[in-house]
Amino acid sequence: FLFLQGFTRAKYVCSFYGYDVSRLPRQRGREVYQTLFGRGDCFIALSDHMRTQLKQLGCPEERTVVRRLGIDTARFVPSREPRSPDAPLRIITVARLVEKKGLDDAIRAVARVVQACPTLQYQIVGAGPLEDPLRSLIRELSLEGHVTLSGPQPHDVVSRLVAGADLFLLPSVTADDGNQEGIPVVLAEAQAAGVPVVSTRHSGIPELVEDGRSGFLVPERDVETL
């Protein structure tokens, strides 16, 4: 859309979200945005971490600002339903079934926790190319009675499921192709619903989740600590 600068005096603003500052430069070369950086008026990053990444790619620091994604706090509110001490531990993940979400690590970690908490129920909401490999892993670890792949669900259903969970799990990782998160909005939604979150020290996540205070963070791909 840079061509529009020839027809208007309006400012040109470009927002970055995640893979465009991690995977794309690896695939197309670190000079991929040089024309854009030279002609754009303002560049928006989702986190301080992403702002640093853009600077390393050559984005002019004086024209780069951080604007974090917000959420609708009217949709995600703490559940008022009383919890029975005999109820199963309910863990949930809402994510695309792709490598950077770390879902194989999540399933392997749950397999270890099940030994001490046999009533645990882990629900993964979402769809994606890794559905079949994740189903195979669930079978391999004999977790069919504990882990459920629910597929994509409507927004109101997701809100209700998150609010009713005991723990929100999202152990994001840097994918083999370099793909990274920005800051996953689902973590903020879970926090707004009053649900404890467990995630990783990945990309901008530590800017949202203060380890030990508003959630818990572990190293990427560290199943034992997770």
Side-chain angles (χ1 to χ4, degrees), residues 102-165:
L103 297 176
D104 55 337
D105 292 340
I107 292 170
R108 293 183 190 280
V110 164
R112 301 188 184 197
V113 177
V114 161
Q115 300 173 22
C117 185
T119 62
L120 182 154
Q121 295 294 316
Y122 177 36
Q123 184 174 11
I124 301 174
V125 178
L130 293 185
E131 179 175 346
D132 288 342
L134 291 175
R135 289 193 184 279
S136 296
L137 180 61
I138 292 168
R139 288 193 298 269
E140 175 188 330
L141 298 175
S142 301
L143 291 174
E144 294 94 332
H146 299 279
V147 181
T148 304
L149 297 181
S150 301
Q153 299 293 329
H155 289 304
D156 59 333
V157 174
V158 172
S159 302
R160 187 169 64 252
L161 290 174
V162 170

Side-chain angles (χ1 to χ4, degrees), residues 174-204:
T174 300
D176 288 341
D177 63 1
N179 196 3
Q180 295 180 339
E181 304 272 19
I183 296 182
V185 174
V186 290
L187 289 175
E189 292 173 340
Q191 289 179 320
V195 179
V197 300
V198 175
S199 190
T200 47
R201 299 185 187 96
H202 168 85
S203 189

Side-chain angles (χ1 to χ4, degrees), residues 71 76-78 162 168 185-197 205 208-210 213-216:
I71 62 169
F76 292 88
V77 295
V162 170
F168 191 96
V185 174
V186 290
L187 289 175
E189 292 173 340
Q191 289 179 320
V195 179
V197 300
I205 291 175
L208 173 69
V209 181
E210 185 178 352
R213 185 176 178 86
S214 60
F216 297 96

Side-chain angles (χ1 to χ4, degrees), residues 49-134:
H49 175 81
M50 185 178 290
R51 189 173 192 262
T52 298
Q53 287 178 301
L54 287 170
K55 179 182 177 181
Q56 292 170 345
L57 291 173
C59 189
E61 189 172 9
E62 69 278 4
R63 282 183 272 151
T64 309
V65 297
V66 174
R67 292 292 181 268
R68 306 181 193 280
L69 293 178
I71 62 169
D72 183 357
T73 54
R75 283 185 51 221
F76 292 88
V77 295
S79 173
R80 296 183 178 180
E81 296 182 12
R83 293 284 288 120
S84 166
D86 299 323
L89 178 67
R90 295 175 294 185
I91 302 176
I92 191 168
T93 295
V94 180
R96 289 194 65 233
L97 309 187
V98 295
E99 184 185 358
K100 71 177 179 181
K101 301 300 181 179
L103 297 176
D104 55 337
D105 292 340
I107 292 170
R108 293 183 190 280
V110 164
R112 301 188 184 197
V113 177
V114 161
Q115 300 173 22
C117 185
T119 62
L120 182 154
Q121 295 294 316
Y122 177 36
Q123 184 174 11
I124 301 174
V125 178
L130 293 185
E131 179 175 346
D132 288 342
L134 291 175

